[in-house]
Amino acid sequence: MKLRKVTAASATIFALALTATACGGNNSTGGDSGSDGGKTITVGIKFDQPGLGQKTPQGYAGFDVDVATYVAKKLGYNADQIEWKEAKSADRETMLQRGDVDFIAATYSITPERQEKVDFAGPYLLAHQDVLVRADDNKIKSPKDLNNAKLCSVTGSTSAQNVKEKLAPKAQLQPYPTYSACLPGLQNGAVDALTTDDSILAGYAAQSQFKGKFKLGGFKLTNENYGIGVKKGSDLKADVNKALEAMVADGAWQKAVDKNLGPANYKNEPAPKIGDIKS
């Protein structure tokens, strides 16, 4: 008789434990539960863009990382509650649509084509296509001076091709696998210029090994409105916009620009107003 009582009590305890475990999975107020039971938020960034989004031995660094960390804080998440995921350019819409990330801050230009698939908060930075040249090069003063110049062309990028087709038809495109690979070539004279967004160029030029060796042309060839991507129809958009406005208002936005891009003498545009997309 006593054995039956113990068995029944054990079964009751086991059932209660199962119930507690099931309930415990839903005690997060947002994001997924972390290994310690706390809430987390998943954010997509670039892992290979110095000054903007870069994975380093010490962690993650760059302007986009600082913006994302600030936004996450306003949403109720501390830095140690952020799970960072690499958001390659070709994967960003899919990552948001599948719910792999909560939002993406990864030099993500707002375009009509992308707005059909995802929503954007922001913009939070107005960048421009520009060129990077050697600091002592005074020959390239305007886009037309790129005629007959050796222009780094990165596989998969249209920036150099756009310059050749629209501004400098005699530019000599020199193929390189990545922007990082272009920099030594620019430094030793194998190429005369590198072109992509000025913010990206400033990030590369701000690296300690390149400080003072390059300069931006300041040509402002295009407008690139960087936004924070969220899933289509997500309520998160409004909260992210409020966070971005707060970051500008309290001065944290400008501090982040100066810290990450200032060493390249990057002349940033004023922080754009939410919803003000420059064509």
Side-chain angles (χ1 to χ4, degrees):
M1 188 71 174
K2 186 178 288 187
L3 178 60
R4 284 199 299 273
K5 285 184 177 179
V6 171
T7 304
S10 299
T12 300
I13 292 170
F14 181 66
L16 288 172
L18 286 176
T19 302
T21 301
C23 293
N26 291 323
N27 63 2
S28 171
T29 58
D32 298 323
S33 293
S35 58
D36 60 353
K39 62 181 182 178
T40 61
I41 189 167
T42 307
V43 180
I45 57 169
K46 291 292 180 69
F47 278 13
D48 59 353
Q49 285 186 340
L52 290 156
Q54 186 178 27
K55 184 178 182 179
T56 73
Q58 293 75 38
Y60 300 90
F63 176 68
D64 282 346
V65 174
D66 288 348
V67 170
T69 302
Y70 187 101
V71 169
K73 179 73 173 177
K74 288 294 185 180
L75 295 176
Y77 300 87
N78 293 322
D80 61 358
Q81 293 174 306
I82 301 173
E83 179 186 354
W84 301 104
K85 281 196 175 182
E86 184 175 18
K88 295 180 179 179
S89 295
D91 299 335
R92 291 176 296 198
E93 286 84 39
T94 302
M95 291 177 72
L96 289 168
Q97 291 169 335
R98 285 193 312 225
D100 296 341
V101 292
D102 293 294
F103 67 82
I104 289 178
T107 58
Y108 203 0
S109 294
I110 302 171
T111 68
E113 295 77 18
R114 289 169 178 164
Q115 287 177 306
E116 292 178 1
K117 300 176 182 178
V118 301
D119 285 341
F120 285 96
Y124 65 92
L125 183 72
L126 177 60
H128 308 281
Q129 185 182 342
D130 200 357
V131 298
L132 192 70
V133 297
R134 288 181 293 279
D136 59 357
D137 186 347
N138 297 313
K139 300 188 299 296
I140 300 176
K141 298 178 180 179
S142 71
K144 68 179 182 180
D145 294 329
L146 293 169
N147 278 307
N148 299 315
K150 290 172 285 189
L151 184 62
C152 180
S153 177
V154 173
T155 305
S157 170
T158 60
S159 298
Q161 191 64 43
N162 287 341
V163 169
K164 183 174 177 66
E165 291 177 355
K166 300 174 182 178
L167 301 169
K170 295 181 181 179
Q172 302 172 29
L173 301 188
Q174 306 291 312
Y176 281 76
T178 64
Y179 292 116
S180 295
C182 287
L183 292 175
L186 181 59
Q187 186 175 357
N188 63 31
V191 294
D192 299 307
L194 163 61
T195 183
T196 187
D197 297 358
D198 54 6
S199 57
I200 297 174
L201 295 173
Y204 280 115
Q207 294 177 93
S208 58
Q209 68 268 37
F210 295 128
K211 283 182 182 178
K213 296 180 180 178
F214 304 120
K215 64 183 179 182
L216 290 162
F219 298 160
K220 297 184 179 181
L221 303 175
T222 62
N223 290 327
E224 304 296 335
N225 303 272
Y226 290 174
I228 291 182
V230 299
K231 191 172 185 177
K232 194 76 173 174
S234 172
D235 293 337
L236 201 58
K237 176 179 174 179
D239 293 330
V240 173
N241 277 332
K242 290 178 183 177
L244 292 174
E245 289 177 329
M247 187 176 189
V248 173
D250 67 15
W253 182 88
Q254 188 61 55
K255 288 180 181 178
V257 173
D258 294 342
K259 180 184 79 172
N260 293 291
L261 305 176
N265 294 318
Y266 178 63
K267 304 296 189 295
N268 66 278
E269 297 276 7
K273 295 186 181 300
I274 300 300
D276 184 14
I277 300 172
K278 303 295 185 184
S279 58

PDB file of all heavy atoms in Angstrom, residues 2 11 18 38 60 101 112 118 120 166 173 211 223 227 229 255:
ATOM      1  N   LYS A   2       1.882   1.207   0.871  1.00  0.00           N
ATOM      2  CA  LYS A   2       2.803   2.359   0.930  1.00  0.00           C
ATOM      3  C   LYS A   2       3.506   2.561  -0.397  1.00  0.00           C
ATOM      4  O   LYS A   2       3.743   3.673  -0.833  1.00  0.00           O
ATOM      5  CB  LYS A   2       3.830   2.162   2.046  1.00  0.00           C
ATOM      6  CG  LYS A   2       4.726   3.359   2.263  1.00  0.00           C
ATOM      7  CD  LYS A   2       5.697   3.141   3.391  1.00  0.00           C
ATOM      8  CE  LYS A   2       4.991   3.183   4.725  1.00  0.00           C
ATOM      9  NZ  LYS A   2       5.973   3.127   5.849  1.00  0.00           N
ATOM     10  N   ALA A  11       4.451  10.231  -9.722  1.00  0.00           N
ATOM     11  CA  ALA A  11       3.791  10.562 -10.999  1.00  0.00           C
ATOM     12  C   ALA A  11       3.263  11.972 -10.986  1.00  0.00           C
ATOM     13  O   ALA A  11       3.334  12.706 -11.983  1.00  0.00           O
ATOM     14  CB  ALA A  11       2.654   9.564 -11.249  1.00  0.00           C
ATOM     15  N   LEU A  18       6.617  18.524 -15.928  1.00  0.00           N
ATOM     16  CA  LEU A  18       6.365  18.697 -17.373  1.00  0.00           C
ATOM     17  C   LEU A  18       5.591  19.971 -17.641  1.00  0.00           C
ATOM     18  O   LEU A  18       5.869  20.721 -18.586  1.00  0.00           O
ATOM     19  CB  LEU A  18       5.592  17.489 -17.915  1.00  0.00           C
ATOM     20  CG  LEU A  18       6.374  16.198 -18.097  1.00  0.00           C
ATOM     21  CD1 LEU A  18       5.435  15.078 -18.543  1.00  0.00           C
ATOM     22  CD2 LEU A  18       7.489  16.385 -19.120  1.00  0.00           C
ATOM     23  N   GLY A  38      16.500  33.940 -20.505  1.00  0.00           N
ATOM     24  CA  GLY A  38      16.174  35.328 -20.775  1.00  0.00           C
ATOM     25  C   GLY A  38      15.800  35.534 -22.229  1.00  0.00           C
ATOM     26  O   GLY A  38      16.073  34.705 -23.084  1.00  0.00           O
ATOM     27  N   TYR A  60      31.797  42.285 -32.147  1.00  0.00           N
ATOM     28  CA  TYR A  60      31.251  42.921 -33.355  1.00  0.00           C
ATOM     29  C   TYR A  60      31.400  44.431 -33.234  1.00  0.00           C
ATOM     30  O   TYR A  60      31.197  45.010 -32.161  1.00  0.00           O
ATOM     31  CB  TYR A  60      29.781  42.532 -33.534  1.00  0.00           C
ATOM     32  CG  TYR A  60      29.591  41.041 -33.671  1.00  0.00           C
ATOM     33  CD1 TYR A  60      29.380  40.248 -32.542  1.00  0.00           C
ATOM     34  CD2 TYR A  60      29.671  40.421 -34.912  1.00  0.00           C
ATOM     35  CE1 TYR A  60      29.232  38.867 -32.652  1.00  0.00           C
ATOM     36  CE2 TYR A  60      29.528  39.045 -35.032  1.00  0.00           C
ATOM     37  CZ  TYR A  60      29.312  38.278 -33.899  1.00  0.00           C
ATOM     38  OH  TYR A  60      29.174  36.914 -34.013  1.00  0.00           O
ATOM     39  N   VAL A 101      15.788  36.545 -38.626  1.00  0.00           N
ATOM     40  CA  VAL A 101      16.238  37.692 -37.833  1.00  0.00           C
ATOM     41  C   VAL A 101      15.031  38.571 -37.524  1.00  0.00           C
ATOM     42  O   VAL A 101      14.014  38.530 -38.221  1.00  0.00           O
ATOM     43  CB  VAL A 101      17.312  38.519 -38.583  1.00  0.00           C
ATOM     44  CG1 VAL A 101      18.604  37.753 -38.722  1.00  0.00           C
ATOM     45  CG2 VAL A 101      16.802  38.961 -39.950  1.00  0.00           C
ATOM     46  N   PRO A 112      12.586  50.768 -54.118  1.00  0.00           N
ATOM     47  CA  PRO A 112      11.208  50.326 -54.373  1.00  0.00           C
ATOM     48  C   PRO A 112      11.106  48.808 -54.528  1.00  0.00           C
ATOM     49  O   PRO A 112      10.129  48.206 -54.056  1.00  0.00           O
ATOM     50  CB  PRO A 112      10.846  51.047 -55.676  1.00  0.00           C
ATOM     51  CG  PRO A 112      11.710  52.266 -55.689  1.00  0.00           C
ATOM     52  CD  PRO A 112      12.999  51.831 -55.065  1.00  0.00           C
ATOM     53  N   VAL A 118       9.984  43.630 -48.157  1.00  0.00           N
ATOM     54  CA  VAL A 118      10.193  43.866 -46.726  1.00  0.00           C
ATOM     55  C   VAL A 118       9.838  45.314 -46.410  1.00  0.00           C
ATOM     56  O   VAL A 118       9.672  46.145 -47.309  1.00  0.00           O
ATOM     57  CB  VAL A 118      11.656  43.586 -46.307  1.00  0.00           C
ATOM     58  CG1 VAL A 118      12.048  42.152 -46.614  1.00  0.00           C
ATOM     59  CG2 VAL A 118      12.621  44.547 -46.983  1.00  0.00           C
ATOM     60  N   PHE A 120      10.902  48.896 -44.179  1.00  0.00           N
ATOM     61  CA  PHE A 120      12.097  49.575 -43.695  1.00  0.00           C
ATOM     62  C   PHE A 120      11.745  50.635 -42.664  1.00  0.00           C
ATOM     63  O   PHE A 120      10.833  51.439 -42.862  1.00  0.00           O
ATOM     64  CB  PHE A 120      12.836  50.277 -44.841  1.00  0.00           C
ATOM     65  CG  PHE A 120      13.587  49.356 -45.750  1.00  0.00           C
ATOM     66  CD1 PHE A 120      13.003  48.911 -46.938  1.00  0.00           C
ATOM     67  CD2 PHE A 120      14.867  48.936 -45.441  1.00  0.00           C
ATOM     68  CE1 PHE A 120      13.695  48.072 -47.795  1.00  0.00           C
ATOM     69  CE2 PHE A 120      15.561  48.087 -46.288  1.00  0.00           C
ATOM     70  CZ  PHE A 120      14.971  47.655 -47.470  1.00  0.00           C
ATOM     71  N   LYS A 166      28.142  55.513 -67.448  1.00  0.00           N
ATOM     72  CA  LYS A 166      27.452  56.794 -67.349  1.00  0.00           C
ATOM     73  C   LYS A 166      28.367  58.007 -67.214  1.00  0.00           C
ATOM     74  O   LYS A 166      27.971  59.121 -67.555  1.00  0.00           O
ATOM     75  CB  LYS A 166      26.491  56.767 -66.157  1.00  0.00           C
ATOM     76  CG  LYS A 166      25.432  55.681 -66.259  1.00  0.00           C
ATOM     77  CD  LYS A 166      24.600  55.612 -64.985  1.00  0.00           C
ATOM     78  CE  LYS A 166      23.572  54.493 -65.060  1.00  0.00           C
ATOM     79  NZ  LYS A 166      22.784  54.379 -63.805  1.00  0.00           N
ATOM     80  N   LEU A 173      38.431  49.010 -66.208  1.00  0.00           N
ATOM     81  CA  LEU A 173      37.984  48.229 -65.062  1.00  0.00           C
ATOM     82  C   LEU A 173      38.973  47.110 -64.758  1.00  0.00           C
ATOM     83  O   LEU A 173      39.322  46.326 -65.628  1.00  0.00           O
ATOM     84  CB  LEU A 173      36.589  47.655 -65.310  1.00  0.00           C
ATOM     85  CG  LEU A 173      35.478  48.671 -65.597  1.00  0.00           C
ATOM     86  CD1 LEU A 173      34.127  47.965 -65.634  1.00  0.00           C
ATOM     87  CD2 LEU A 173      35.469  49.784 -64.551  1.00  0.00           C
ATOM     88  N   LYS A 211      45.235  54.363 -42.300  1.00  0.00           N
ATOM     89  CA  LYS A 211      44.959  55.743 -41.906  1.00  0.00           C
ATOM     90  C   LYS A 211      45.924  56.706 -42.591  1.00  0.00           C
ATOM     91  O   LYS A 211      47.129  56.519 -42.577  1.00  0.00           O
ATOM     92  CB  LYS A 211      45.060  55.895 -40.382  1.00  0.00           C
ATOM     93  CG  LYS A 211      43.849  55.351 -39.642  1.00  0.00           C
ATOM     94  CD  LYS A 211      43.966  55.571 -38.143  1.00  0.00           C
ATOM     95  CE  LYS A 211      42.777  54.986 -37.415  1.00  0.00           C
ATOM     96  NZ  LYS A 211      42.889  55.142 -35.947  1.00  0.00           N
ATOM     97  N   ASN A 223      22.450  58.626 -54.354  1.00  0.00           N
ATOM     98  CA  ASN A 223      21.951  58.668 -52.984  1.00  0.00           C
ATOM     99  C   ASN A 223      21.635  57.247 -52.531  1.00  0.00           C
ATOM    100  O   ASN A 223      20.934  56.516 -53.227  1.00  0.00           O
ATOM    101  CB  ASN A 223      20.681  59.515 -52.878  1.00  0.00           C
ATOM    102  CG  ASN A 223      20.955  60.992 -53.071  1.00  0.00           C
ATOM    103  OD1 ASN A 223      22.021  61.488 -52.702  1.00  0.00           O
ATOM    104  ND2 ASN A 223      20.007  61.716 -53.638  1.00  0.00           N
ATOM    105  N   GLY A 227      18.380  51.888 -44.499  1.00  0.00           N
ATOM    106  CA  GLY A 227      17.270  51.656 -43.591  1.00  0.00           C
ATOM    107  C   GLY A 227      17.477  50.384 -42.794  1.00  0.00           C
ATOM    108  O   GLY A 227      18.365  49.586 -43.086  1.00  0.00           O
ATOM    109  N   GLY A 229      15.837  46.967 -42.044  1.00  0.00           N
ATOM    110  CA  GLY A 229      14.839  46.084 -42.617  1.00  0.00           C
ATOM    111  C   GLY A 229      14.129  45.261 -41.559  1.00  0.00           C
ATOM    112  O   GLY A 229      14.757  44.736 -40.637  1.00  0.00           O
ATOM    113  N   LYS A 255      27.952  60.540 -32.466  1.00  0.00           N
ATOM    114  CA  LYS A 255      29.119  59.931 -31.820  1.00  0.00           C
ATOM    115  C   LYS A 255      29.502  58.631 -32.507  1.00  0.00           C
ATOM    116  O   LYS A 255      30.691  58.328 -32.687  1.00  0.00           O
ATOM    117  CB  LYS A 255      28.831  59.691 -30.339  1.00  0.00           C
ATOM    118  CG  LYS A 255      28.783  60.951 -29.494  1.00  0.00           C
ATOM    119  CD  LYS A 255      28.483  60.622 -28.038  1.00  0.00           C
ATOM    120  CE  LYS A 255      28.415  61.892 -27.192  1.00  0.00           C
ATOM    121  NZ  LYS A 255      28.069  61.601 -25.772  1.00  0.00           N
TER     122      LYS A 255
END
